Amino acid sequence: MADNHTDVVVVGAGPAGLMVSLYLSELGVKHRIIDQLGTRALNGRADGFQVRTVEIWDSFDIATRIQSHGSHFGEWALWTPGEEGIARTSREAVFGEDSSRLSTATFHQGYIEAALIEGAQKRGGPLVERGVKFASVTIDPDTSNSSAYPIHLSVQHLREDELEKWGVNAHRKLEDGSLEPADADIEAFGTDPENIRWNGNQNTKQGTIETIHAKYVIGADGGHSAIRRQLGFKMDGANSDSVWGVIDIIPITDFPDIRRLCTILSKHGNILVIPREKGLIRIYVQLPDENPTTGPSSISLNNPNAPIEIFKTIQQIFRPYVIDYKVCDWWTVYKVGQRVSDHFSFNNQVFLIGDAVHTHTPKGGQGSNVSQQDAYNLAWKLAGVLHGQIKPSALSTFESERLPIARDLITLDTNLSRVLSTRSGVDMKDVKDVYARLKFFGSNVAFQYAPSSIVATQSNNDQVASKVIHGTRLSNAYVYNLSSSNRIASQALLKSTGSWYLFVLAGNLLHQPQLSLVNHTGTQLESLSKKYPHISARRPQDPFLRVLLFAANKLSDFVAKDLHSAFFPNHSNHGRDYDTIFGDQQADGSDALKPEYSRNLDGVHQVYGVDKEKGGMILVRPDQIVAWTGRLSDTDNLERFFAGVLGSGTDKSIVST
């Protein structure tokens, strides 16, 4: 088949598009990813990682990049007007273990893109095709032929002189206060160098138009999305006249909280301070309002001296503390605005993610995070349909699940902008309330997808796992591996390989009737796990359902040979799988816990609210979302749930928006 036929085309190689490419590569989906820019991000732009996104990166084994290259901070400080300027009002934890086992971090967009590119290519994914611009998309009306490529994407291969330049804006401040252009920090790692800057030799089609034939298209082409405009989707929301500046610098200051996340409220305007990697900090600063009688402000991207004016406002707000810089890695200005699209998909064939469907201010640190989470939600569903595991009608859940999240984000960002844009004094309760909501939004604690074909309706009368809510990310608990006695986070078991996960909470295995029930359940699960294909073309021999057993006992109370082979599988080529059986407690005689393990010792039964005498089951989707819960005897109900979701690919229904 010609090179211009592929299963999926991803338009846009920012964090959202690259997350799609990473997961599609993991699942063996043939795809192309194009971007009209001639370079990956060089500096600035998105940099904040909320804990939910770190959890997703950890599931792909790439979170080590954040740990080794990013900046981490554990406290948020609030500063308000004092007698001689600003004074610290409070300090509190940004995130605790009650939200996630992982922590927030900052990590500039160049590193984000480099890590995602590296992860995709290690999984056999494609190189980003740079200098390729979306032109138009058409869709065949007849979708009855499953082998057809009904989407025709017209793209223009740009010549080097047509490429949009990346706005670096890096500079050094000289002794006389003038600014001198400088290079930005564009370091990367791994196999990224060929993706940093466009090389005309990489594209032999430059100056030509190509038609790509695909089964699905994903638009990750940013806030000015050409795909969204062609589809006719409307962005609902509003802009304001509030102008903000952003500047990344290595600070020279006596401000005591410069390496903490800070909100500074003052009569001269408001500031957010974000610690960055390599000694940098990011400052968001509220600039003087534009005066309609004197024309637009001189603080604009078109004025190379705008950073001087921006920093005058910063220095005024920081008083009585002194702040200056010599090195600036990036700066920009923007107006506050919040908008969300009325649709996220067209005919369940063209999907939009990230800034293409929700735009807002960067002050909450949510843009790249929610965008990557859109991608994470969509990619496995597409792979499941393409590989015959999931019914195509399930693709409608992308919009039904992600659109409400975007609307909640816009509401939150509107409230945050209102608090941070006032110049007439802020109610401290309002400030703390909006930051509390921001904290839970970033950890996904408050997210809940509605019941659908892939989220079972939850009965209020029979909650087997009383602390587990269908449609939410599975929370974390700590358990001990039976084979190694190693302590492990239950969330860390949920690797993004395309598997569905079934947590079998076995209860007390010292009770013989309970052990018999568990083993009977194992017999049925062994049959079920062979019924459907795996979602990943890279793992066709793996069972689609990964069964993990958790006993409410000490490790010394039971042995693997007492359990059904479904819980301790033996592979002909690789031997036993030793990462499938766990206990809530260490074995007798184990060494005392390390001090840092003194918390969260309740185990999965306690954390998930499962009766230790009865046990239960928790089904988790390939995106770590709870899909179903049931008793150990409910394997028939579990099979019925899967029958409604999975199939041989014979369901060709297309659900129109």
Side-chain angles (χ1 to χ4, degrees), residues 448-449 455-459 468-472 625-630:
Q448 182 179 4
Y449 296 149
V455 175
T457 301
Q458 190 164 20
S459 170
V468 172
I469 301 173
H470 294 186
T472 65
I625 298 297
V626 177
W628 174 92
T629 55

Side-chain angles (χ1 to χ4, degrees), residues 12 34-38 129-134 158 163-164:
I34 65 174
D35 194 284
Q36 69 182 50
L37 289 177
E129 299 176 45
R130 300 200 180 277
V132 183
K133 184 178 181 179
F134 166 82
L158 302 175
L163 294 175
E164 180 182 343

Side-chain angles (χ1 to χ4, degrees), residues 273-284:
V273 177
I274 316 290
R276 290 281 306 280
E277 71 284 349
K278 296 189 175 180
L280 290 165
I281 64 165
R282 172 165 293 182
I283 298 177
Y284 291 96

Side-chain angles (χ1 to χ4, degrees), residues 19 21 44 59 88 93 96 125 174 184 200 203 222 224 242 275 304 319 355 398 421 434 439 561 578 580 636 640 653:
M19 174 58 75
S21 182
S59 73
R88 187 195 297 127
L174 304 180
N203 189 350
H224 301 289
S242 181
R319 291 174 184 165
D355 289 351
F398 170 67
S421 297
V434 75
K439 167 183 173 179
K561 69 179 182 63
Y578 292 98
T580 59
D636 287 347
R640 279 192 288 271
S653 61

